[in-house]
Amino acid sequence: MSRDIAGTNNAPLTSELFHTKVYKPNQGRIVRQLTALAIWVVVALGCWSLYATLRGFLPAGSMLIPAIPMVALAIGVWIGYRLVNWPQFADFLIAVEAEMNKVTWPAKDELIRASVVVIFTIFFLAIALFLFDVVWQFIFNFLGVTS
């Protein structure tokens, strides 16, 4: 019901792929740009991997080797751009940015103290687990359970 009040468009993503408009352009810009950038990086890495794979399967000099990844890259970039402007996903990203703006971030001194506590805790837990492993290994070897 709240979506109906807000006037959110519930159009499926497939129908949104063929629009060029930006949904609520002044809201959630940072998180939407970072999300689009992350999608584009994943698509680019996938296309690079596809290019390397195609070089091993197709004959050398084939025009398909660079063409297929380039077409996939163009489609992936467009889908990434449209995804962050899909009303349902854009509203979610706008809400994420609004919530992140409400967060009270710790001061530098508090951050350093908390990080030191976490690092020492992990270090001592790693030592404790190592010692448990050594003790149980000794017990099982003494009993002849392991070879």
Side-chain angles (χ1 to χ4, degrees):
M1 180 167 170
S2 62
R3 290 193 183 273
D4 295 334
I5 294 170
T8 302
N9 183 3
N10 288 327
L13 179 60
T14 54
S15 69
E16 290 290 324
L17 286 177
F18 304 107
H19 295 276
T20 57
K21 65 180 169 64
V22 176
Y23 179 75
K24 296 183 180 178
N26 297 327
Q27 297 180 12
R29 277 185 39 208
I30 294 172
V31 73
R32 288 163 74 180
Q33 288 172 349
L34 290 175
T35 302
L37 181 65
I39 292 170
W40 294 341
V41 166
V42 169
V43 167
L45 290 173
C47 290
W48 183 31
S49 177
L50 177 62
Y51 174 75
T53 303
L54 289 176
R55 283 184 22 193
F57 284 111
L58 295 177
S62 174
M63 291 302 294
L64 291 176
I65 294 174
I68 293 173
M70 289 303 287
V71 169
L73 179 65
I75 291 170
V77 166
W78 180 252
I79 288 175
Y81 169 73
R82 289 311 309 154
L83 182 63
V84 297
N85 288 301
W86 181 33
Q88 292 171 320
F89 190 57
D91 285 335
F92 168 73
L93 293 176
I94 290 167
V96 166
E97 185 168 321
E99 290 298 319
M100 291 303 290
N101 289 333
K102 295 177 186 177
V103 172
T104 303
W105 298 100
K108 184 178 179 181
D109 294 339
E110 185 180 352
L111 180 66
I112 291 171
R113 282 194 311 269
S115 298
V116 168
V117 168
V118 168
I119 290 169
F120 278 119
T121 302
I122 290 173
F123 178 73
F124 288 123
L125 285 174
I127 290 173
L129 287 173
F130 174 74
L131 292 175
F132 282 134
D133 186 45
V134 168
V135 167
W136 283 107
Q137 184 178 10
F138 175 76
I139 291 170
F140 287 145
N141 285 337
F142 180 74
L143 295 175
V145 175
T146 60
S147 56

